[in-house]
């Protein structure tokens, strides 16, 4: 009986990771994502609360992909733990929190090589596994890893 209750708890935990959230912040952005498995360049929406993020990616007005970041990372195809997502879609050498930090414009790698700029910050991180240039300004987030051929660009849409 205890085994059944434990199994139900685990099932509910995984199902709730991708459940519908009431997002408190929503913004339309120009989003460019280039990785070996993800390629996108068009309008998107970033919705988030304090503990959940949802990227809605559109092409020619049609929703093509949703990415939800919570305890797990969920795509249209299903959910996976963050380290597995990084290994499959980004780089296995990235910290688990890198995707949500990029999407929200937060520092990465525990503020390593943090430099304040006039309207934000930048970080340059280089080692045998990565060659990252990351810049966050008032209206743009730019992340490029030359070593792993990964680009994220999130820019405000001018009204």
């Amino acid at each position: 009986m205890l085994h059944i209750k434990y199994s139900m708890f685990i099932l509910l935990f995984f199902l709730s990771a991708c459940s519908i959230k009431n997002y408190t912040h929503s913004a339309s952005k120009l989003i460019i994502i280039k990785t070996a498995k993800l390629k996108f360049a068009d309008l998107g929406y970033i919705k988030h609360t304090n503990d959940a993020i949802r990227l809605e990616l559109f092409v020619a007005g049609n929703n093509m992909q949703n990415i939800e970041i919570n305890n797990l990372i969920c795509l249209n195809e299903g959910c996976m733990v963050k380290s597995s997502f990084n290994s499959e879609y980004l780089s296995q050498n990235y910290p688990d929190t890198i995707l949500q930090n990029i999407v929200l414009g937060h520092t990465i790698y525990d503020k390593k090589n943090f430099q304040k700029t006039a309207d934000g910050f930048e970080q340059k991180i280089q080692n045998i596994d990565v060659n990252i240039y990351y810049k966050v300004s008032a209206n743009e987030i730019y992340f490029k890893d030359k070593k792993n051929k990964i680009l994220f660009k999130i820019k405000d849409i001018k009204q």
Side-chain angles (χ1 to χ4, degrees), residues 54-59 61-66 76:
R54 179 179 174 97
L55 286 172
E56 296 177 353
L57 306 176
F58 291 82
V59 174
N62 295 314
N63 183 287
M64 300 306 289
Q65 180 70 263
N66 293 316
N76 294 354

Side-chain angles (χ1 to χ4, degrees), residues 45-123:
Y45 290 93
I46 298 174
K47 299 177 178 185
H48 67 92
T49 63
N50 290 339
D51 62 349
I53 302 166
R54 179 179 174 97
L55 286 172
E56 296 177 353
L57 306 176
F58 291 82
V59 174
N62 295 314
N63 183 287
M64 300 306 289
Q65 180 70 263
N66 293 316
I67 302 171
E68 293 195 35
I69 308 163
N70 196 351
N71 297 327
L72 302 172
I73 296 181
C74 300
L75 299 130
N76 294 354
E77 299 80 26
C79 297
M80 59 185 76
V81 296
K82 293 174 183 177
S83 59
S84 295
F85 175 86
N86 287 351
S87 293
E88 188 170 335
Y89 290 92
L90 304 175
S91 169
Q92 68 183 7
N93 300 303
Y94 290 169
D96 288 352
T97 57
I98 198 160
L99 184 59
Q100 67 254 38
N101 287 339
I102 292 169
V103 170
L104 296 176
H106 295 166
T107 58
I108 58 175
Y109 284 86
D110 295 322
K111 286 184 124 175
K112 183 177 182 177
N113 301 329
F114 176 87
Q115 292 288 314
K116 183 104 175 98
T117 62
D119 64 344
F121 67 88
E122 66 181 25
Q123 291 178 260

Side-chain angles (χ1 to χ4, degrees), residues 2-20:
L2 182 61
H3 178 64
I4 292 172
K5 286 182 182 180
Y6 182 72
S7 297
M8 291 298 289
F9 173 76
I10 290 174
L11 179 64
L12 286 173
F13 173 76
F14 280 107
L15 290 175
S16 69
C18 295
S19 64
I20 296 172

